[in-house]
Amino acid sequence: MDLAAVAPEKKLDSTSIDEAIAHLQSEYPDAVSPDDREGYCGVIVERGRLVDIARVIRDDLGFDYLSSATAVDYLGAGDHLEMVYHTYRTSGGPALVFKAQTDRDNAEIPSLVSVWRGADFQEREAWDLMGIHFPGHPNLKRILMWEGFQGHPLRKDWREAYYEEDQKPFDSRWPGGHVHRAEEKNVFGKNVTYPPDIDLGRLMDTSEAAVYQSLGLGVDVERIMDKDGFETNELVVNMGPHHPSTHGVFRMVLTVDGETVTSLEPVMGYLHRNHEKIGERNTYLHNIPFTDRLDYISSMGNNHGYVLAVEQLMSLGRKYNPPTYRCEALRVMMVELSRIVNHLWAIGFWLNDIGAFFTPVLYFVQERERILDFFEAVAGSRMMCNYMRFGGLFGDLPDRLKSVSNLTNDRVRDYNTMQFLTEMINERIPRTIDELERLLTQNEIVIERSVGVGVLTREDAINYSAAGPLLRGSGVAYDIRRAEPYSIYPELDFDVAVEDEGDMYARYRVRVSELRESVRILKQILPRLEATAGESIWADGKPGAYAPRVPHGEAYGRVENGKGELGYYVVSAGGRGGSSNPWRYHVRAPSFINLTPMGIMSRGHKVADVVGILGSIDIVLGETDR
Amino acid sequence: MKLQELNQSEYPVPAELENNIAITSLSQLYNWGRRNSMWPMLFGLACCAIEMIATAASRFDFSRFGFEVMRATPRQADLMIVSGTVTKKMVVPIVRLYNQMPEPKYVLAMGACASGGGPFKEGYNVVSGMDKYLPVDVYVPGCPPTPQALLYGMIALQRKIDGQSIANGDDVPWYGVSSAEPTPVPVLGPDIIDPRQMDMIRRQAEAAAAELPSIGARDLPAATALVAASATADATAVADAPPVDGDALNFVLPTGAAPWAEAEDIREKRRLRALARKALRATRRAVAAEEE
Ligand code: SF4
């Protein structure tokens, strides 16, 4: 579907961002004011009018897609909490950013779930980690931590048990030069005070009702569980967090009527590793290896989003050189290879979920291994590449590829890099995709299991902030590489894969087309690499600063990752010289937000389909829970 | 076990029976069976799980070493590979799963996270290593460990099993008269609670009720002050001392070690410079604050 075919245009919804802001200001002079802090953009909305104005932004101005909603704690700089919303038009273009502020005590901001369902999990996260209350939210429970946890950990004055200092490097390490184990200072690894009235007995209660009590299932578990009372064939089924088809430690609580799912509640946080809190202690550079561990299938893509965000901030300052052409070409190549890895993995495990246990995976991970060999030889690690830097890369391609783990005397695994790449891109990967299609696309069982299952309509996909193949499988041709292009994508020739049906099969088809498009991009990258051979990957020929100082401001860098839109919201609160640590570091994780419509997609299907639907969304827990 | 090994026992085998009968100890036979049919649990936690899957998949294929298939239920598994970050929220089901595994059972901590918290150790929801709750048999370092490293760790576990003997009751507790005690399952309260610490927590809560200073739990401001104090103490000590500190003076360098000493020297100089810079910045800040 091409972009011109999208609904007839209203006048306001094709205005530029400045015009849109001007419109808002003239319509609501007392509720909307421009955000004129240095390096910030967008508007600040008076929170009492937030819902009305959000409706105007969505309906009149046409910003129908809420990409990210997150909170920032400005302790010491205004002493308020702030919700930041990034909205986009699905027809493409830059973001309209709006914010709402509230006091730190009794923090309260009206919920936007009634406007964008996609705000659901993100507001729950803001409640959980920042302690902002959202009146109007249908199910405001903690989402990453458990109910009953003490405090809201992302607040600036909340300190973790192993807290040492606000920012790294810790003085004791550098320049102090002492390394100690955190346990020596805090033997219990806790920073909690137990209230005098703590009821240990209740905590030990493991009855069914207590287990589901904190979930907000919308059903009366006790009634269902109580066999003697009301006669019913409804049943609560728990799947996970230990379950082979939840792709990690994800948990779903289903209410089923016979075999049919009546409601589904995703429960997450079992892999919540405090990425953002740690990220705010780290220096900017320090965060790159941590981003690898978000979506650990495609670490190159994660690196890319983060460096884009920080580069956006750095470009506000004086001493900044944008990456060279060769650097950009290498970045795109790595990212597209990751996308191939990601989709092969996703399709393989989706087949696992619909019953083809592990055999197809074995075919697809074979090609993945070759790509990982390449990553290992270039970046030093198979999975955690830690490859990109601000304004550059860790290193250029080596002349010859050797498997790092077989360095000595390995004549078998020693290739000329360009030859290896040419072969891989022109022959091996296309061959794998052909094989995959031959086995699956017309496969009767695959079609039977997936056509018409897990349907997400176009309107819902947009309203629920779905991203990536999930969004494009529902007929929305929204790909950030085209909608708000970055790097050298504008000059590359490729199509946005899109399917209209919105079911599991459509998502599979989108992934297969994207595999082909990635190969198409890679084929265009090869001559560019050859043409730039020998050029530096750094603008001034030498690596960038080890600890860059980043100017004051905010930035939202986003990329189209294998799983969908991966965004990084970074706030730098530096003074004149800039800051060396991010003040706020937030990851808009596609795997997390794509789970929001899981409930409506599963309703009415069988339990066995739920597993497949989850597989077709393609989540990875490192990113879901962060 | 190779045929040859089977024949190498302390009992003489008549020549005509060689290669027809084998004499071995019961322990050896028993361990041979166990070590070569270790079924891991199909259980992945985080990034390391991906490498674990790669180890099980076509290229590395741990079935070759007797780890045959991964079983999704703990009741059929001999080995728990803790492949990834153990969070406070997840450790509860993990301990429960461990309790459901039949004896003999083994735990392999795969990667930095499972061994000691790894890169996420300082996180508020992260447990600093699986061994805080379960007995771990083998630790495999790496982030993530390569499939080769994991295989090596698994073979190390096999060697450990080889060393066990059914003659020794400590090696094989699962043959004891009473069944093994299950590991107490932690509880999620205001923070994670190890039931073994219940008494202590009760006392803490009582102390808090009586407004006594709390014991055991960390008092944050005091600890921060402590860290700050020790940092300033360090800084002043270094600033007051002559450029080379005591340790380096006592160290008599052999003449041949010049490059090493040079490197050390440079490091030391950089350290001192950084300290001086830091002190300067601090004074500037203080002055600026005063002016305001
Ligand atoms: S050790 Fe590294 S790779 Fe493994 S789970 Fe931890 S962060 Fe991930």
Side-chain angles (χ1 to χ4, degrees):
Chain A
M1 192 173 79
D2 65 18
L3 289 178
V6 184
E9 310 233 312
K10 280 175 274 171
K11 204 170 112 286
L12 272 173
D13 65 5
S14 54
T15 50
S16 74
I17 296 292
D18 289 339
E19 284 162 353
I21 290 179
H23 172 81
L24 283 178
Q25 271 181 278
S26 65
E27 292 286 300
Y28 304 95
D30 47 344
V32 175
S33 56
D35 187 352
D36 43 19
R37 288 170 287 182
E38 187 193 337
Y40 283 63
C41 62
V43 289
I44 297 175
V45 176
E46 210 276 302
R47 69 183 157 130
R49 309 287 303 277
L50 185 67
V51 179
D52 300 340
I53 292 175
R55 280 232 167 73
V56 170
I57 289 174
R58 185 191 68 179
D59 297 337
D60 299 350
L61 294 173
F63 291 87
D64 48 356
Y65 186 78
L66 174 72
S67 161
S68 150
T70 188
V72 190
D73 180 2
Y74 285 101
L75 177 67
D79 281 330
H80 53 259
L81 291 170
E82 184 173 291
M83 277 299 284
V84 185
Y85 304 90
H86 285 80
T87 51
Y88 290 89
R89 291 177 175 133
T90 43
S91 51
L96 177 67
V97 189
F98 60 97
K99 296 156 191 171
Q101 298 177 337
T102 174
D103 284 342
R104 297 184 82 251
D105 310 324
N106 306 323
E108 224 177 64
I109 287 177
S111 165
L112 288 189
V113 175
S114 58
V115 187
W116 287 285
R117 296 300 307 244
D120 185 348
F121 285 7
Q122 306 190 62
E123 286 181 350
R124 279 177 69 185
E125 184 189 322
W127 157 243
D128 187 356
L129 303 182
M130 283 285 193
I132 300 180
H133 208 80
F134 293 93
H137 191 289
N139 181 23
L140 195 64
K141 302 261 170 147
R142 284 190 185 259
I143 189 164
L144 296 176
M145 301 306 286
W146 60 89
E147 280 299 319
F149 181 75
Q150 198 179 47
H152 300 285
L154 271 187
R155 289 216 178 182
K156 286 286 174 190
D157 51 2
W158 195 98
R159 285 162 177 180
E160 62 273 29
Y162 291 155
Y163 173 83
E164 194 170 328
E165 253 173 75
D166 277 342
Q167 293 179 335
K168 286 177 187 168
F170 297 149
D171 282 355
S172 64
R173 309 248 172 142
W174 177 261
H178 311 295
V179 176
H180 59 79
R181 284 162 50 97
E183 288 99 323
E184 288 159 15
K185 294 208 166 151
N186 183 355
V187 257
F188 293 107
K190 293 176 185 176
N191 56 341
V192 57
T193 41
Y194 296 100
D197 56 344
I198 182 168
D199 181 0
L200 295 175
R202 190 186 56 76
L203 291 177
M204 304 291 279
D205 181 5
T206 50
S207 67
E208 294 270 343
V211 166
Y212 297 117
Q213 174 208 28
S214 62
L215 298 179
L217 278 184
V219 287
D220 184 354
V221 179
E222 246 161 292
R223 177 176 62 78
I224 295 173
M225 291 295 168
D226 180 11
K227 293 280 175 307
D228 300 322
F230 191 62
E231 196 57 44
T232 175
N233 51 2
E234 253 185 311
L235 193 68
V236 174
V237 178
N238 181 65
M239 287 175 70
H242 163 67
H243 189 284
S245 65
T246 54
H247 298 231
V249 286
F250 179 62
R251 177 175 167 207
M252 291 178 284
V253 181
L254 318 170
T255 324
V256 290
D257 188 348
E259 254 291 291
T260 312
V261 177
T262 52
S263 82
L264 181 147
E265 176 75 18
V267 186
M268 49 196 101
Y270 292 94
L271 190 56
H272 179 46
R273 325 190 254 197
N274 330 126
H275 191 89
E276 293 178 7
K277 187 85 180 174
I278 295 176
E280 285 164 21
R281 302 249 185 270
N282 283 346
T283 62
Y284 286 98
L285 191 67
H286 214 141
N287 270 335
I288 294 178
F290 280 88
T291 63
D292 287 340
R293 287 153 181 83
L294 281 171
D295 171 1
Y296 31 73
I297 313 279
S298 38
S299 61
M300 290 287 190
N302 306 348
N303 283 183
H304 199 192
Y306 178 61
V307 297
L308 283 181
V310 177
E311 280 168 6
Q312 240 181 64
L313 276 173
M314 286 168 76
S315 65
L316 300 173
R318 272 171 298 127
K319 287 178 295 182
Y320 170 69
N321 292 316
T324 60
Y325 190 82
R326 181 172 174 79
C327 169
E328 294 280 18
L330 278 170
R331 281 182 181 180
V332 171
M333 177 173 78
M334 296 300 182
V335 167
E336 292 304 322
L337 283 173
S338 308
R339 194 183 317 279
I340 290 174
V341 169
N342 181 74
H343 284 358
L344 286 177
W345 190 269
I347 295 174
F349 275 80
W350 173 64
L351 286 165
N352 252 5
D353 295 339
I354 60 173
F357 200 64
F358 248 95
T359 311
V361 173
L362 294 183
Y363 281 81
F364 306 148
V365 296
Q366 229 173 359
E367 199 47 48
R368 170 179 182 264
E369 286 288 336
R370 298 278 294 188
I371 299 177
L372 293 197
D373 275 353
F374 172 66
F375 285 169
E376 187 180 25
V378 176
S381 173
R382 284 160 47 89
M383 275 169 62
M384 307 304 178
C385 303
N386 185 8
Y387 184 58
M388 300 191 190
R389 298 287 182 273
F390 311 127
L393 297 168
F394 155 74
D396 206 326
L397 298 181
D399 289 337
R400 299 192 72 78
L401 290 184
K402 292 181 181 157
S403 165
V404 174
S405 47
N406 295 296
L407 269 183
T408 43
N409 279 335
D410 191 343
R411 297 214 185 81
V412 187
R413 266 163 280 185
D414 181 2
Y415 309 91
N416 178 299
T417 308
M418 287 316 280
Q419 200 186 332
F420 177 90
L421 280 176
T422 316
E423 224 169 82
M424 184 161 74
I425 291 167
N426 290 325
E427 284 161 39
R428 292 191 59 108
I429 299 179
R431 203 157 60 217
T432 309
I433 304 175
D434 289 342
E435 190 183 23
L436 183 154
E437 280 230 79
R438 201 170 58 244
L439 290 172
L440 301 176
T441 304
Q442 294 306 324
N443 184 312
E444 214 179 312
I445 307 178
V446 171
I447 292 178
E448 276 296 310
R449 280 300 305 272
S450 61
V451 171
V453 177
V455 177
L456 186 65
T457 61
R458 187 191 147 83
E459 289 68 34
D460 279 344
I462 297 174
N463 198 250
Y464 276 85
S465 301
L470 184 62
L471 182 66
R472 289 189 288 276
S474 295
V476 186
Y478 191 74
D479 184 320
I480 300 166
R481 292 173 294 172
R482 280 283 182 253
E484 199 193 3
Y486 50 96
S487 200
I488 57 168
Y489 282 113
E491 63 173 70
L492 296 172
D493 179 27
F494 68 98
D495 293 324
V496 175
V498 60
E499 299 283 337
D500 288 333
E501 292 78 16
D503 55 7
M504 301 211 293
Y505 191 62
R507 275 163 232 148
Y508 159 75
R509 293 268 298 275
V510 166
R511 291 204 172 93
V512 174
S513 329
E514 281 185 9
L515 281 172
R516 296 218 184 271
E517 295 303 324
S518 286
V519 172
R520 205 166 136 198
I521 295 176
L522 286 170
K523 282 185 179 156
Q524 299 166 51
I525 292 288
L526 278 180
R528 287 174 161 80
L529 283 185
E530 254 146 30
T532 56
E535 285 176 20
S536 173
I537 46 174
W538 294 94
D540 47 4
K542 60 177 198 317
Y546 187 66
R549 301 222 139 233
V550 174
H552 195 278
E554 63 170 0
Y556 184 60
R558 53 180 201 148
V559 289
E560 187 66 44
N561 216 7
K563 303 203 162 46
E565 172 179 345
L566 175 69
Y568 292 87
Y569 179 67
V570 182
V571 173
S572 167
R576 255 174 308 134
S579 71
S580 55
N581 307 63
W583 176 261
R584 178 79 174 102
Y585 165 72
H586 171 72
V587 183
R588 184 256 189 239
S591 305
F592 175 63
I593 296 167
N594 281 355
L595 284 171
T596 325
M598 182 75 202
I600 55 161
M601 278 156 68
S602 312
R603 206 165 298 145
H605 290 295
K606 305 280 184 266
V607 176
D609 292 328
V610 168
V611 172
I613 295 171
L614 182 69
S616 77
I617 298 181
D618 182 20
I619 60 163
V620 60
L621 266 294
E623 192 181 70
T624 306
D625 292 344
R626 286 152 290 148
Chain B
M1 209 183 317
K2 289 197 209 81
L3 205 55
Q4 242 168 349
E5 281 172 55
L6 277 172
N7 278 315
Q8 279 165 1
S9 68
E10 54 259 49
Y11 300 101
V13 179
E16 64 270 26
L17 286 183
E18 237 170 51
N19 297 334
N20 287 321
I21 64 165
I23 300 174
T24 183
S25 69
L26 189 56
S27 267
Q28 234 175 22
L29 188 67
Y30 173 71
N31 285 342
W32 170 72
R34 278 196 316 126
R35 80 192 302 270
N36 290 321
S37 64
M38 272 272 139
W39 289 5
M41 187 155 74
L42 179 51
F43 164 66
L45 289 180
C47 355
C48 279
I50 307 295
E51 282 301 58
M52 181 178 73
I53 294 169
T55 318
S58 32
R59 190 181 191 179
F60 298 96
D61 188 13
F62 60 35
S63 304
R64 295 178 296 157
F65 301 93
F67 296 90
E68 205 47 45
V69 279
M70 296 183 110
R71 306 306 298 186
T73 155
R75 293 180 177 81
Q76 297 172 350
D78 307 292
L79 167 64
M80 177 189 255
I81 302 180
V82 185
S83 52
T85 317
V86 183
T87 61
K88 290 179 180 168
K89 205 168 171 179
M90 191 58 201
V91 75
V92 181
I94 294 179
V95 172
R96 220 175 268 146
L97 286 169
Y98 178 79
N99 285 340
Q100 290 173 6
M101 285 168 67
E103 299 267 15
K105 52 188 169 187
Y106 297 91
V107 177
L108 186 149
M110 176 184 186
C113 285
S115 305
F120 297 96
K121 175 173 175 172
E122 62 200 273
Y124 47 85
N125 191 27
V126 176
V127 173
S128 320
M130 195 63 246
D131 54 7
K132 296 274 185 294
Y133 290 89
L134 298 179
V136 174
D137 295 277
V138 177
Y139 298 85
V140 181
C143 183
T146 56
Q148 292 93 327
L150 178 60
L151 279 175
Y152 185 78
M154 294 167 94
I155 293 169
L157 178 67
Q158 292 185 326
R159 282 212 295 273
K160 177 170 183 169
I161 294 172
D162 283 341
Q164 295 185 321
S165 158
I166 30 180
N168 182 352
D170 286 346
D171 277 359
V172 284
W174 55 92
Y175 278 152
V177 256
S178 59
S179 58
E181 281 289 311
T183 312
V185 181
V187 190
L188 296 178
D191 199 342
I192 193 151
I193 298 176
D194 190 330
R196 290 170 287 204
Q197 296 175 355
M198 241 7 154
D199 263 347
M200 190 189 76
I201 292 166
R202 207 163 281 134
R203 267 181 285 129
Q204 268 175 29
E206 275 161 20
E211 295 186 12
L212 293 171
S214 72
I215 32 161
R218 171 175 165 191
D219 199 346
L220 265 176
T224 336
L226 203 74
V227 174
S230 74
T232 32
D234 281 356
T236 41
V238 176
D240 292 347
V244 204
D245 66 30
D247 281 350
L249 279 181
N250 293 339
F251 218 91
V252 186
L253 292 171
T255 35
W260 174 79
E262 231 169 63
E264 191 70 349
D265 228 30
I266 293 172
R267 241 199 63 181
E268 185 60 23
K269 273 194 196 127
R270 277 175 53 202
R271 197 169 82 86
L272 291 174
R273 264 208 304 275
L275 268 175
R277 269 203 308 273
K278 202 153 202 169
L280 196 66
R281 267 206 304 277
T283 25
R284 275 208 202 118
R285 258 204 305 276
V287 170
E290 239 164 58
E291 277 172 4
E292 270 181 25

